[in-house]
Amino acid sequence: IKLWENASGSPWRQHVKQMEYEILCVSQFTLYGTLSKKNQPDYKLAMKSEKAEEMYKLFLDMLKEAYVEERIKDGAFGKMMDVSLVNDGPVTLVIDSREEGRGSGG
């Protein structure tokens, strides 16, 4: 996904590999939830922890294979983590792999 401007200042021209940035992955599989009839979080539809951790590690391995392993960072799966960041720009992207016909080549 081309999110950064190029050397000429044209927006949406460079991707993370071109910029040689690091990637921080924060697992949130266990945060998938819905609201119950009592307006309380319900996590029954969330993936079970063991399977989610297996999938997360597979995802990290895929990133490391496709990029520079030392530039892929992650936290501790299933642990409480305080993560801070600085949003860069007025844009938020939601990437949903379930949407067919979108993305590269689709």
Side-chain angles (χ1 to χ4, degrees):
I1 302 172
K2 296 181 178 184
L3 299 174
W4 295 275
E5 63 185 34
N6 62 15
S8 304
S10 297
W12 314 110
R13 299 291 190 265
Q14 301 283 338
H15 53 69
V16 71
K17 284 184 177 182
Q18 292 167 307
M19 300 298 290
E20 298 181 352
Y21 285 166
E22 291 182 336
I23 298 173
L24 173 62
C25 298
V26 178
S27 62
Q28 294 191 357
F29 288 96
T30 56
L31 296 181
Y32 180 83
T34 57
L35 285 177
S36 70
K37 292 178 183 176
K38 298 177 184 178
N39 288 325
Q40 297 172 321
D42 182 340
Y43 300 102
K44 287 186 267 189
L45 298 177
M47 185 179 283
K48 300 299 179 208
S49 181
E50 298 80 21
K51 183 71 176 170
E53 185 172 12
E54 179 183 318
M55 180 179 264
Y56 180 64
K57 287 180 178 177
L58 178 62
F59 173 71
L60 289 174
D61 289 343
M62 290 169 61
L63 284 177
K64 290 173 183 177
E65 186 176 311
Y67 193 36
V68 178
E69 184 170 349
E70 294 75 30
R71 292 189 185 142
I72 307 300
K73 310 294 182 184
D74 71 319
F77 186 90
K79 303 295 182 195
M80 180 66 173
M81 292 183 289
D82 290 326
V83 178
S84 62
L85 61 96
V86 175
N87 286 327
D88 183 13
V91 176
T92 299
L93 300 174
V94 176
I95 302 170
D96 188 339
S97 62
R98 296 173 296 179
E99 292 185 27
E100 293 185 29
R102 304 190 83 156
S104 60

